[in-house]
Amino acid sequence: MTKWISLFALAAAIAAPASAQNSLEQRIAADYDATLEALFLDFHRNPELSYVENRTAGIIAAQLRSLEIDVTEGVGGTGVVGVLENGSGPVVLVRADMDGLPIEEDSGLDYASEARQTGIDGVEAPVMHACGHDVHVTALIGAARQLVRLRDQWSGTIVFIAQPAEERIGGARAMMEDGLYERFPRPEYALAFHVSSGLATGRIDLAPGLVASSADSVDITIHGVGTHGAYPHEGRDPIVMGAEIIMALQTLVSREVSPLAPAVVTVGAFHGGIKHNIISDTATMQLTVRSNDQAVRETLLAGIRRIAENVGRMNGMPEDRLPQVEVAHESTPPTINDADLVARLRPALAGALGADTLIDPTPQTGMGAEDFAYFVQPETGVRGAYFNVGGTPQEAFDAAANGGPPVPAHHSPFFRIAPRESVTLGTEAMVAAVMDLLPAGGSADD
């Protein structure tokens, strides 16, 4: 008899995680049908540009307040911070970015955005959620709803963040500069996810180490001495100096950075002059600079400044008229996942979501940037994990491989993801990750 009782207990123990998983999955699916789908559609139809996400922030703040979460608005501009305290324990930050892009949507969806908005540059433009931030904020609300419901099963503090201006890689820094870690509970862990059109629905990519490259927008102003185009010897040509700077910049990656270390210096714009026969007195250049570690980033930025200034000297410009190099506010360090935290969360997510949900880490295919990095810089002591959630059904990849239409990339007017699959899996993964990091306990909810 004892033998059969033991076997029954073992079977119950094995079945319990599956039952809990199904229960959470079912609750999130029901919540999607009841509330989250309507929220997603509203966010998608009404996207807002970086730093002016006022309507979006207001909806998120109201949703969090309805859960009796302590909410502060206007952090770092339009940022929203919601604090849910539930006894002693670690502090976990859960972040979602909320801005759209100045793109006219051509996805063919019946809920496509027709919104237009004036951005901080004073230019009115069409606006589209062409990078999936509507999924992120919907899942943030979904995760908050589930974690409040489950607060008798965990102990600690959760800080929910709706971050502005990720697309201009400035919102995270703005929130930090506005005292995020001083005004609110300082986290031990920070979590975020991004829906990916390049990953199949039902799949999650969580890897240690590099997640996103650094990015710096660099502006160079080249001063010259204007003169008649037929009398070049009486002036100093800033366009020639700009051409010399462009060519010299190519040596930064090819001769100053290890060939084993990825790096990019791209001159995206070069403006100078107004007429055929006039040598202008100024020219401007705009660069994007990418790297995968802080040392290479510093080498590139220092090299750009050195090259620009010395080209000015080489052309006889006085010290107070040398080319000016400015690293714009739109910049971010590389995003690096904490290896120990990832090693903890991968089996936790596999256990909660199913072992086949997590894919093997994939190699880097580009040098996109992500300003989540500011929340987890080494000096903060905060350990971060940033993961990707699949957004495109496998059938779309299969069709593309057989000559069908390609899967639209992020920042494309054709961008589209499967909202139900993306929101529900993102919500479930975030809840499972938070629950793993917070100890059992807490207070009963009803």
Side-chain angles (χ1 to χ4, degrees):
M1 186 67 171
T2 303
K3 174 183 177 183
W4 291 113
I5 292 173
S6 298
L7 289 175
F8 180 79
L10 176 62
I14 293 173
S19 175
Q21 174 191 337
N22 291 338
S23 178
L24 177 62
E25 184 179 358
Q26 290 166 1
R27 287 199 304 269
I28 292 172
D31 194 25
Y32 185 85
D33 292 335
T35 62
L36 297 180
E37 181 179 33
L39 281 168
F40 170 81
L41 293 174
D42 185 68
F43 287 136
H44 189 89
R45 291 187 178 113
N46 298 281
E48 295 178 290
L49 294 170
S50 303
Y51 297 112
V52 288
E53 311 95 336
N54 298 295
R55 181 181 184 275
T56 304
I59 293 171
I60 296 168
Q63 287 289 321
L64 296 180
R65 283 197 181 100
S66 73
L67 300 171
E68 299 184 354
I69 294 172
D70 185 16
V71 174
T72 303
E73 298 180 69
V75 181
T78 57
V80 178
V81 178
V83 178
L84 178 59
E85 295 182 335
N86 192 46
S88 62
V91 179
V92 179
L93 181 148
V94 178
R95 172 268 206 171
D97 40 10
M98 57 181 174
D99 53 330
L101 286 156
I103 296 173
E104 186 169 2
E105 183 164 358
D106 192 18
S107 64
L109 297 168
D110 58 7
Y111 54 87
S113 168
E114 298 179 357
R116 298 184 65 87
Q117 189 181 30
T118 300
I120 59 171
D121 54 5
V123 177
E124 184 185 271
V127 192
M128 174 189 177
H129 270 302
C131 204
H133 295 188
D134 45 357
V135 170
H136 305 169
V137 290
T138 306
L140 180 78
I141 295 167
R145 291 167 65 88
Q146 295 302 320
L147 288 163
V148 166
R149 186 183 187 281
L150 294 167
R151 65 181 181 264
D152 62 326
Q153 299 180 29
W154 58 268
S155 181
T157 298
I158 306 172
V159 181
F160 298 98
I161 300 292
Q163 181 210 303
E166 187 278 332
E167 297 296 358
R168 298 184 73 125
I169 50 177
R173 178 162 67 175
M175 294 189 79
M176 293 293 285
E177 290 175 348
D178 199 13
L180 179 64
Y181 285 177
E182 292 74 41
R183 296 168 55 190
F184 306 96
R186 187 182 187 87
E188 281 95 323
Y189 308 103
L191 306 174
F193 82 87
H194 203 300
V195 65
S196 172
S197 68
L199 183 63
T201 51
R203 298 290 181 265
I204 287 176
D205 185 2
L206 169 62
L210 180 77
V211 175
S213 300
S214 71
D216 292 284
S217 297
V218 179
D219 297 308
I220 303 177
T221 301
I222 307 163
H223 302 289
V225 178
T227 187
H228 196 295
Y231 300 86
H233 58 290
E234 294 184 1
R236 293 288 185 271
D237 193 336
I239 294 177
V240 170
M241 284 188 264
E244 292 172 332
I245 291 170
I246 290 172
M247 296 310 296
L249 289 177
Q250 309 312 305
T251 64
L252 283 175
V253 174
S254 66
R255 292 297 178 267
E256 295 195 34
V257 174
S258 167
L260 303 179
V264 168
V265 178
T266 294
V267 179
F270 183 10
H271 302 285
I274 57 172
K275 187 71 172 68
H276 303 73
N277 61 347
I278 299 174
I279 292 176
S280 176
D281 61 358
T282 188
T284 60
M285 299 165 58
Q286 296 177 325
L287 287 65
T288 189
V289 182
R290 308 290 173 120
S291 67
N292 281 353
D293 66 67
Q294 190 64 16
V296 172
R297 182 189 185 203
E298 292 171 3
T299 295
L300 295 175
L301 294 176
I304 291 167
R305 189 177 304 278
R306 184 188 71 243
I307 286 170
E309 291 178 350
N310 282 299
V311 165
R313 292 187 178 101
M314 183 176 69
N315 281 272
M317 296 301 296
E319 290 296 308
D320 63 347
R321 296 276 292 165
L322 295 178
Q324 295 172 290
V325 178
E326 180 181 357
V327 179
H329 195 75
E330 295 182 13
S331 65
T332 183
T335 299
I336 309 293
N337 273 352
D338 183 85
D340 291 338
L341 180 57
V342 169
R344 173 177 176 172
L345 290 179
R346 279 187 65 89
L349 292 182
L353 309 176
D356 60 346
T357 301
L358 268 75
I359 68 169
D360 292 332
T362 55
Q364 184 182 19
T365 58
M367 299 192 79
E370 165 57 63
D371 71 350
F372 178 74
Y374 282 105
F375 298 129
V376 295
Q377 283 300 283
E379 62 269 20
T380 67
V382 179
R383 297 162 62 184
Y386 183 99
F387 56 94
N388 287 307
V389 171
T392 300
Q394 182 60 47
E395 303 81 65
F397 293 109
D398 296 340
N402 290 319
V407 173
H410 291 245
H411 293 214
S412 160
F414 310 113
F415 176 83
R416 57 191 296 169
I417 49 82
R420 182 187 185 88
E421 293 84 347
S422 304
V423 170
T424 55
L425 182 59
T427 301
E428 191 176 357
M430 194 59 76
V431 171
V434 171
M435 294 287 288
D436 181 74
L437 295 174
L438 296 177
S443 56
D445 62 338
D446 316 299

